[in-house]
C-alpha cells in the first residue's frame, strides 16, 4: 500500500480468499516492511462486476470489475 504520506506506506503479507459466488473476501496477515512493521493486518472487501452501480458511483470504467472494502492495521508491536 502506497499512501499519500510516504511515512505511512507499507508492505503486508496476507492470506485468505474470496468467495467466488458472493464476491466477499477476507484476508489476515502482518506488515513486513514500512509503517507499523510487525502489526497485524485485516482486509475485507466486496467484489462488484463491471457496470454495477457501486463501481460506477466510485468512478470505475463501465468495463471494470471493482472491489470496495477496508484494510485495518493494528498497533505496531512493542519491542
Amino acid at each position: 500500500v502506497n499512501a499519500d504520506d510516504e511515512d505511512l506506506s507499507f508492505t503486508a503479507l496476507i492470506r485468505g480468499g474470496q468467495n467466488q459466488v458472493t464476491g466477499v473476501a477476507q484476508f489476515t496477515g502482518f506488515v513486513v516492511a514500512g509503517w507499523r512493521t510487525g502489526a497485524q493486518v485485516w482486509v475485507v472487501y466486496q467484489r462488484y462486476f463491471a457496470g454495477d452501480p457501486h463501481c460506477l458511483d466510485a468512478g470505475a470504467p463501465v468495463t471494470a470489475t471493482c472491489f470496495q472494502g477496508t484494510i485495518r492495521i493494528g498497533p505496531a508491536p512493542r519491542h
Side-chain angles (χ1 to χ4, degrees):
V1 173
N2 293 314
D4 289 338
D5 180 342
E6 212 173 282
D7 293 335
L8 300 180
S9 295
F10 65 91
T11 301
L13 177 63
I14 57 174
R15 182 177 183 172
Q18 174 183 288
N19 182 300
Q20 295 304 309
V21 176
T22 65
V24 173
Q26 293 184 338
F27 297 85
T28 59
F30 61 95
V31 177
V32 295
W35 181 64
R36 291 197 180 174
T37 297
Q40 288 188 305
V41 176
W42 300 269
V43 178
V44 178
Y45 69 76
Q46 173 68 53
R47 176 202 64 220
Y48 296 101
F49 290 111
D52 186 282
H54 288 91
C55 295
L56 299 175
D57 290 347
V62 173
T63 58
T65 297
C66 69
F67 304 86
Q68 293 183 353
T70 59
I71 300 172
R72 292 186 7 225
I73 298 108
R78 292 192 170 131
H79 296 284

